Amino acid sequence: MKKFGFEIEKKLEGTLARAGVISTPHGDIQTPAFVAVGTKATVKALSPEQVRAAGSQVVLSNTYHLYLEPGDEIVKNGGGLSKFMGWNGPTMTDSGGFQVFSLGAAFDSSVSKVSKNRQGAYELPALDAPKADERTPTLVEITEEGVKFKSYLDGSEHFFTPERSMEIQYNLGADIIFAFDECTSPDAGKEYQKQALDRTHRWAARSLEHHKYLKSQNSSTKSQINSKHQKSNSEVDWNLELGTWDFRSEQALFGIVQGARYEDLRKESAETIGAMDFDGFGIGGSFDKEDMGNAVKWVNEILPEGKPRHLLGIGEPIDLILGVENGIDTFDCVIPTRLGRNGTLYTKTGKINITKAEYRRDYSPIEEGCGCYACQNYTKAYLAHLFRSKEMFAGTLGSIHNLYFLTKLVADLRAAILDGLFFEYKKNFLGSYK
């Protein structure tokens, strides 16, 4: 079984950018890389083969959603996430921390984790404060011990602690998992951001401790099985005994840096999380759109250089370029497939809405020279027809193209770093993308 590891192949002088390789039990990830999001163990509208053909190396799924349906024990007994979903490659799972935001401050509102401006900020209620107004979370209750969620499926209550998140992710069996954290709203004021940051740091320590405990139990189980059979430490032998799989002895845990748009909080979090014995790091939480690159730079100038860094939930092309330039190794975001299912498609000159009348008789591909399956086989006119007719195949083709566009963009950034042409590539891309 291949162990988890990270190797930097080349660093770009004058920046934090680097090209490298993350090793996992299910294969290597050439970095920088864009991670496809398969929230419920499926990338919406696409088969695993189509995801791979679009250039994806790794898929991220959602701990909270898989816990609710089908249940982490079912995924475990199905061979773990990779086998269960038929994905022959590396996988990640988040911790459930994003749902603290999406089912809390963002529930039934237009609040996004990326703020477009600094206006209109408000303070969220302090811990244990009475519910004050309609902005108060309706499906989430945060305490020092953990988070009480109300299921969006049936209203049932579920309590997530850092320890419980580790246990669920351990059962899901992804190659890379994340510590439990509190993802805050960009509209929350600094006082609340500081409270949440300190709590996230305490939860990170608890996540790490329990993760190490679970791995030690796994190693003990392997030793007992091998002793029973009086055989060498063979993966095949003990997998047969368990009747399933187990890559969890090499499961990597990433700590998450928070701090919102505040430079002092971001740096404090990077120092605190960076000093813990994590295998890598996630950069999460809320950002100001115009300050994204700076916020990432503040953090990555502090985090240990020899461990991988993942930017959670960010996927717009310009943000990917800024992220790579400032030391990000991997990204995940639902945006390419979400936009693709709704007819918004990426091109080198910007996004287009394929449902517009101008494309009904346009017999060119979405983008000339694009190597994706959709562009190689179909025209804008055909896609416009599919979307206008509400055919399921429309979402598949749109998702294939968008996922290919972003995975190729990040792969091109990697090649540009290796070839010493990063700034030339950045200038050319930004010069045409509007």
Side-chain angles (χ1 to χ4, degrees):
M1 184 196 311
K2 197 163 191 177
K3 293 181 178 294
F4 177 86
F6 177 59
E7 177 186 358
I8 298 174
E9 295 179 306
K10 185 173 181 179
K11 293 185 286 186
L12 184 65
E13 187 175 350
T15 74
L16 297 174
R18 70 263 191 96
V21 180
I22 299 173
S23 300
T24 80
H26 286 91
D28 292 343
I29 306 167
Q30 308 292 315
T31 65
F34 183 80
V35 178
V37 176
T39 300
K40 301 178 182 179
T42 178
V43 179
K44 290 185 184 298
L46 303 183
S47 70
E49 293 77 16
Q50 289 169 324
V51 174
R52 177 69 74 182
S56 297
Q57 304 176 68
V58 53
V59 172
L60 178 144
S61 292
N62 184 288
T63 293
Y64 172 80
H65 288 286
L66 291 178
Y67 160 79
L68 290 180
E69 180 62 42
D72 51 297
E73 288 285 346
I74 287 177
V75 177
K76 172 189 172 183
N77 294 333
L81 183 59
S82 289
K83 185 175 181 181
F84 187 68
M85 67 182 290
W87 170 253
N88 184 26
T91 53
M92 297 178 171
T93 48
D94 63 8
S95 66
F98 180 70
Q99 276 62 50
V100 179
F101 167 66
S102 65
L103 300 178
F107 182 74
D108 199 25
S109 78
S110 59
V111 177
S112 165
K113 66 175 284 183
V114 179
S115 176
K116 292 182 174 60
N117 58 64
R118 299 176 184 271
Q119 304 301 315
Y122 60 87
E123 293 282 349
L124 289 182
L127 284 180
D128 302 322
K131 294 184 177 181
D133 57 36
E134 67 276 6
R135 294 173 305 199
T136 300
T138 57
L139 297 181
V140 167
E141 181 183 334
I142 304 168
T143 70
E144 177 61 31
E145 182 61 21
V147 179
K148 182 188 293 184
F149 292 100
K150 271 189 179 178
S151 169
Y152 67 94
L153 295 175
D154 59 12
S156 59
E157 291 187 347
H158 305 270
F159 195 66
F160 270 42
T161 64
E163 294 79 11
R164 187 71 185 107
S165 176
M166 294 302 97
E167 290 165 2
I168 295 168
Q169 292 187 82
Y170 186 71
N171 281 341
L172 296 175
D175 298 291
I176 297 171
I177 67 176
F178 288 87
F180 193 55
D181 68 312
E182 180 182 348
C183 179
T184 57
S185 168
D187 289 339
K190 189 173 184 179
E191 181 179 350
Y192 186 83
Q193 297 286 4
K194 173 61 174 170
Q195 291 180 39
L197 186 72
D198 292 341
R199 186 162 46 252
T200 285
H201 294 165
R202 293 190 292 270
W203 287 356
R206 288 168 57 187
S207 296
L208 185 58
E209 181 180 2
H210 202 62
H211 172 68
K212 289 181 176 179
Y213 168 77
L214 293 171
K215 290 181 74 171
S216 71
Q217 292 295 103
N218 180 76
S219 297
S220 175
T221 300
K222 288 180 68 174
S223 297
Q224 291 172 14
I225 292 171
N226 285 323
S227 175
K228 173 182 175 181
H229 289 285
Q230 297 182 336
K231 293 181 179 179
S232 63
N233 189 18
S234 164
E235 177 186 320
V236 174
D237 292 335
W238 71 276
N239 274 352
L240 287 174
E241 175 73 16
L242 291 175
T244 177
W245 56 281
D246 207 312
F247 294 95
R248 294 174 291 184
S249 61
E250 287 302 321
Q251 192 174 55
L253 176 62
F254 284 22
I256 299 182
V257 174
Q258 293 286 1
R261 62 184 181 268
Y262 301 101
E263 181 176 359
D264 58 336
L265 297 186
R266 282 285 177 186
K267 289 182 175 180
E268 176 188 345
S269 190
E271 289 171 354
T272 302
I273 297 297
M276 296 184 188
D277 188 25
F278 287 109
D279 300 297
F281 305 99
I283 302 174
S286 51
F287 299 90
D288 275 343
K289 181 70 172 177
E290 67 272 18
D291 226 14
M292 178 90 60
N294 285 335
V296 170
K297 185 178 182 181
W298 298 334
V299 168
N300 285 340
E301 286 179 333
I302 295 171
L303 289 176
E305 184 180 64
K307 294 183 178 182
R309 305 152 178 167
H310 180 88
L311 188 55
L312 289 150
I314 299 298
E316 285 288 356
I318 294 173
D319 295 333
L320 297 179
I321 294 172
L322 292 175
V324 168
E325 185 173 356
N326 289 292
I328 295 298
D329 302 300
T330 52
F331 307 79
D332 78 88
C333 196
V334 299
I335 196 166
T337 49
R338 178 174 291 170
L339 291 180
R341 294 193 307 274
N342 290 282
T344 299
L345 307 175
Y346 287 109
T347 75
K348 290 179 181 178
T349 56
K351 298 173 192 169
I352 64 170
N353 183 346
I354 197 66
T355 64
K356 288 187 174 180
E358 64 190 279
Y359 299 117
R360 294 186 67 184
R361 292 176 174 81
D362 187 334
Y363 300 103
S364 64
I366 303 168
E367 183 159 72
E368 295 288 351
C370 176
C372 82
Y373 174 79
C375 286
Q376 291 292 306
N377 293 279
Y378 303 101
T379 65
K380 292 190 190 83
Y382 182 63
L383 266 77
H385 155 65
L386 292 179
F387 276 102
R388 286 170 170 270
S389 301
K390 302 188 184 305
E391 289 289 339
M392 294 175 65
F393 194 38
T396 296
L397 292 179
S399 296
I400 286 173
H401 172 77
N402 281 356
L403 189 56
Y404 180 92
F405 184 93
L406 292 189
T407 55
K408 187 175 187 305
L409 167 60
V410 181
D412 286 347
L413 292 171
R414 170 184 164 81
I417 293 170
L418 292 173
D419 295 339
L421 299 173
F422 178 86
F423 293 110
E424 181 179 340
Y425 182 88
K426 174 185 174 182
K427 179 181 179 181
N428 290 338
F429 184 90
L430 297 181
S432 61
Y433 188 83
K434 306 298 181 186

